[in-house]
């Protein structure tokens, strides 16, 4: 399989706009609530990484340790969707090719296919399930079909060096398994979603397929809880607001990346938190902090 990308050029593109470890100099008044919330979380022992950029100009609006590699749970599934979309576009894979689930793919938690009777589904339907509900079983079946090595090669060719899908989804991770499903930096994740929105990942049709799948996402529990959208029906703009996002959730991990468009402008954002999840209060504080960032993002785009 040949992956036609200009890796060095793309590395330069998303490293050139990198700012310092803390809030970007372009905005001193906007995002003050979110910056304060993240600062308080960091003081309480939460590892925080975040970045927001203007979708049109690439201007860094907000940045906290955006270069740090963080656990991102299911956000790495976006890289799988890119590989699947590229193969559909090239004709190497048919959207109607039916894939069977097998005992080796079985996994719990996120997704609905594990609760359905259908033993097999078309590739395009499996990708839609991943986009809509972060379906773990559909992820494993697609990953078995295309191969983790191919996803890693595609990721590297895109110029991503701090973002990766490391493994298939597992109910339990042993000492010989990757410690996390995926990792990523806020810097690279905002670049990836901005490039998807502009149709620059592989080619415009491939980018559009990925965006279409992600636009089905129904998890608005983190940053996007501030946007007032219907999680089950939001593919058309509501009050001028349009969102495409992906979340990642695991024990001690909360992460979200997305593109938010509003009447005034658009913004790409990535926020990841790594924390001690022993107490519910710690989890709720993290979620509240992420929502606070969402309120600042909403204020910016309207």
């Amino acid at each position: 399989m040949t992956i036609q990308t200009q890796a060095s050029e793309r590395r330069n593109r998303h490293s050139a706009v990198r700012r310092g470890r803390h809030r970007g100099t372009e905005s001193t008044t906007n995002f003050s609530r979110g910056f304060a919330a993240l600062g308080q979380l960091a003081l309480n022992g939460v590892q925080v990484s975040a970045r927001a950029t203007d979708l049109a100009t690439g201007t860094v609006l907000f940045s906290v340790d955006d270069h740090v590699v963080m656990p991102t749970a299911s956000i790495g599934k976006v890289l799988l969707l890119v590989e699947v979309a590229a193969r559909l576009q090239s004709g190497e894979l048919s959207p109607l090719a039916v894939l069977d689930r097998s005992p080796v793919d079985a996994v719990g938690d996120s997704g609905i296919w594990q609760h359905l009777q259908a033993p097999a589904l078309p590739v395009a339907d499996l990708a839609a399930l991943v986009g809509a509900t972060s379906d773990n079983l559909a992820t494993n079946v697609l990953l078995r079909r295309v191969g983790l090595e191919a996803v890693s090669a595609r990721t590297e060719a895109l110029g991503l060096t701090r973002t990766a899908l490391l493994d298939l989804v597992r109910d339990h991770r042993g000492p010989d398994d990757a410690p996390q499903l995926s990792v990523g930096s806020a810097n690279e994740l905002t670049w990836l979603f901005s490039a998807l929105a502009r149709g620059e990942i592989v080619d415009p049709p491939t980018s559009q397929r990925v965006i279409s799948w992600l636009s089905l996402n129904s998890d608005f529990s983190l940053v996007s809880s501030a946007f007032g959208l219907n999680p089950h029906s939001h593919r058309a703009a509501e009050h001028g607001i349009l969102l495409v996002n992906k979340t990642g959730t695991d024990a001690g991990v909360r992460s979200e990346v997305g593109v938010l468009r509003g009447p005034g402008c658009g913004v790409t954002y990535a926020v990841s938190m790594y924390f001690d999840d022993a107490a519910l209060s710690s989890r709720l504080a993290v979620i509240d902090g992420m929502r606070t960032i969402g309120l600042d993002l909403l204020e910016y785009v309207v």
Side-chain angles (χ1 to χ4, degrees), residues 153-176:
R154 179 76 62 182
T155 302
E156 182 178 353
L158 290 173
L160 300 172
T161 61
R162 296 173 179 263
T163 301
L165 179 64
L166 301 176
D167 199 3
L168 50 78
V169 187
R170 302 178 187 274
D171 287 327
H172 306 285
R173 296 199 168 275
D176 296 328

Side-chain angles (χ1 to χ4, degrees), residues 17 37 71 74 105 125 128 130 154-155 157 168 178 197 206 219 224 233 236-237 273:
V17 296
S74 291
D105 304 313
D125 289 358
V130 174
R154 179 76 62 182
T155 302
L168 50 78
T206 297
D219 183 6
S224 48
S233 178
M273 308 264 192

Side-chain angles (χ1 to χ4, degrees), residues 15-157:
S15 63
V17 296
R18 182 175 297 166
R19 296 295 186 270
R21 292 169 56 87
H22 301 292
R23 182 168 45 171
T25 58
E26 292 83 354
S27 175
T28 57
T29 55
N30 290 333
F31 301 95
S32 58
R33 291 173 302 187
F35 189 70
L38 294 189
Q40 185 59 52
L41 287 169
L43 287 175
N44 292 334
V46 178
Q47 187 173 351
V48 173
S49 179
R51 181 182 179 92
T53 61
D54 186 280
L55 183 60
T57 67
T59 300
V60 179
L61 306 169
F62 184 90
S63 174
V64 176
D65 287 348
D66 64 357
H67 64 290
V68 174
V69 178
M70 297 278 285
T72 53
S74 291
I75 285 179
K77 295 172 184 176
V78 175
L79 301 171
L80 171 62
L81 293 180
V82 169
E83 178 61 23
V84 171
R87 293 193 182 200
L88 293 180
Q89 182 61 24
S90 69
E92 184 178 349
L93 191 60
S94 167
L96 298 179
V98 175
L99 302 183
D100 296 316
R101 62 189 187 189
S102 70
V104 71
D105 304 313
V107 65
D109 294 332
S110 300
I112 62 171
W113 193 19
Q114 61 184 307
H115 305 295
L116 304 180
Q117 295 300 308
L121 288 171
V123 166
D125 289 358
L126 295 178
L129 287 177
V130 174
T133 68
S134 198
D135 197 292
N136 286 338
L137 178 56
T139 295
N140 282 355
V141 171
L142 285 172
L143 197 54
R144 176 163 51 85
R145 175 62 177 82
V146 303
L148 182 60
E149 296 79 6
V151 175
S152 299
R154 179 76 62 182
T155 302
E156 182 178 353

Side-chain angles (χ1 to χ4, degrees), residues 274-292:
Y274 192 40
F275 60 100
D276 183 355
D277 204 2
L280 178 60
S281 58
S282 299
R283 179 185 296 185
L284 293 177
V286 164
I287 293 172
D288 187 58
M290 297 183 83
R291 178 180 170 82
T292 300

